[in-house]
Amino acid sequence: MPRIRPGPGVFSFTCSQAGQTSILSGATNMGHTNREKTARLEDRVTADPTSGQAAIPCIVHFSGRMTGVSYSLSLDKELIIGRAPEADISIPDRRISQRHARVVVSSDGTVFVEDLGSTNGTCVNGKKITRQALSDGDKVQISRNYILKFCYETNVVAETAGRNGVNATRDALTGAYSKQSFLVRIEEDFNQARKQNEELALLIFSVDDWAKINATHGTNAGDMVLRAVAKLVNATLQREAVLARYDNNAFALLLRNMSEGGVVVLAQRIRRIVKNYHFILEGGKIPLTVSLGIGTLTKNMKNALDMIHAVQAYLDKAKRAGHNTINGSQSIRAIYRQITNKHAA
């Protein structure tokens, strides 16, 4: 069962009740205007037209270290949220009650969140609640530092689901591996590569102008872009590659037994595929590009975090250099120039 640790900071949990304002930025604008309209399983658990997979209702960590970890819901099991170790979502934070809240699915398919008499209360989209029907995209806040999101996931592979229907392996939005899964995997692969003297490559890329896309076209468009990019990249990968959603608009790609030349070729392929993709929304095309930072295991790296930090630094340089850009070590940049010059010729 996944566990998360409390973050620092003074507790100041405020809901928009009795004239109070919410600290959940933008929450009042993100809810549905007709709150009486409830989400029903029979309306949502259907085959997704693009993937043929079922849309499963779930609760997803929306903030903190466990962002992206999801928990599937079912008719026969309630999901308990609280500080108690036996809770389904156990959060060891004194500001959260032992049994703080629960999420249940009623017999008619409506999904509810219910406060269990907690000390500090439960909010949905910034409003304090006792019991509330949830709609796709609703945000459930149980303390200042912990926000959960209700949504329907369509890209999670069923066989990765853990006991009691809990899935902490895949990102609910994109179907890529979760950040937590990636951090576990890169540590294992780093240690093995170091021990066996094998090659290991890491690529971190982010969608350019993602905040602008959200501001111009709405957050649903931003979500659609992330799903499209994940699908495009995943289609280019070999079986052993690990694609994970690393941050809001960033993905990490872990590649075993891949040389500098190989990862440069793959990065160039990803850059071109995304740039050439026609993402159509409301009759118009949204131009998409990605910035990429790439690196390989070197002798001076002591652990997996050293590798991550190095590649993150290359990504930052790529973004500062402009959109649709690749950056890496000196030797990687030399290989990249050689490849681009060859294609230009």
Side-chain angles (χ1 to χ4, degrees), residues 79-94:
L79 189 74
I80 300 295
I81 305 164
R83 195 172 77 245
E86 64 270 18
D88 297 299
I89 304 180
S90 181
I91 307 171
D93 186 336
R94 61 180 178 81

Side-chain angles (χ1 to χ4, degrees), residues 46 77 279:
T46 57
K77 186 180 184 300
F279 186 82

Side-chain angles (χ1 to χ4, degrees), residues 174 223-233 274 277 279 288:
T174 64
D223 289 348
M224 291 168 64
V225 164
L226 294 181
R227 283 194 291 265
V229 169
K231 186 175 181 180
L232 286 170
V233 173
V274 174
Y277 178 70
F279 186 82
L288 293 181

Side-chain angles (χ1 to χ4, degrees), residues 100-328:
H100 193 100
R102 68 172 183 164
V103 180
V104 296
V105 182
S106 67
S107 58
D108 68 353
T110 307
V111 180
F112 288 94
V113 61
E114 179 182 343
D115 185 81
L116 297 177
S118 65
T119 301
N120 292 308
T122 302
C123 288
V124 174
N125 296 332
K127 294 183 179 181
K128 200 167 187 178
I129 59 94
T130 301
R131 180 178 169 87
Q132 173 73 51
L134 295 175
S135 293
D136 193 16
D138 280 349
K139 293 177 177 61
V140 179
Q141 188 174 7
I142 55 176
S143 81
R144 176 172 181 169
N145 295 325
Y146 294 102
I147 302 171
L148 304 168
K149 181 179 180 180
F150 173 70
C151 64
Y152 290 85
E153 55 184 43
T154 59
N155 295 317
V156 176
V157 181
E159 57 265 27
T160 64
R163 192 170 53 184
N164 296 326
V166 172
N167 188 324
T169 305
R170 298 276 178 169
D171 172 59
L173 177 65
T174 64
Y177 283 98
S178 67
K179 182 176 182 178
Q180 186 72 10
S181 297
F182 163 74
L183 293 176
V184 171
R185 180 63 179 270
I186 191 173
E187 184 174 0
E188 294 174 350
D189 286 1
F190 183 95
N191 292 335
Q192 178 177 332
R194 176 72 79 197
K195 183 178 180 180
Q196 302 294 333
N197 196 28
E198 296 174 342
E199 292 178 317
L200 183 67
L202 175 63
L203 191 157
I204 301 179
F205 62 95
S206 63
V207 178
D208 296 324
D209 284 335
W210 188 65
K212 183 178 178 181
I213 292 172
N214 283 329
T216 304
H217 304 282
T219 56
N220 286 339
D223 289 348
M224 291 168 64
V225 164
L226 294 181
R227 283 194 291 265
V229 169
K231 186 175 181 180
L232 286 170
V233 173
N234 201 48
T236 70
L237 301 179
Q238 297 177 353
R239 192 168 185 176
E240 287 191 356
V242 175
L243 176 67
R245 187 179 178 190
Y246 188 72
D247 204 348
N248 287 332
N249 64 322
F251 294 87
L253 184 54
L254 186 62
L255 304 150
R256 295 178 58 184
N257 299 311
M258 182 167 285
S259 64
E260 285 187 340
V263 73
V264 171
V265 170
L266 178 59
Q268 178 76 317
R269 185 182 306 138
I270 290 172
R271 185 188 66 80
R272 287 176 173 172
I273 287 173
V274 174
K275 183 182 179 182
N276 294 330
Y277 178 70
H278 293 274
F279 186 82
I280 307 297
L281 183 68
E282 296 178 352
K285 178 185 176 183
I286 298 179
L288 293 181
T289 58
V290 292
S291 297
L292 306 97
I294 53 180
T296 57
L297 176 61
T298 60
K299 293 181 179 179
N300 63 326
M301 293 176 179
K302 296 179 181 179
N303 51 48
L305 282 179
D306 285 348
M307 189 175 194
I308 293 172
H309 291 159
V311 177
Q312 282 182 318
Y314 294 139
L315 173 60
D316 291 340
K317 290 180 181 179
K319 291 191 290 187
R320 288 196 297 269
H323 297 167
N324 195 34
T325 305
I326 297 173
N327 198 287

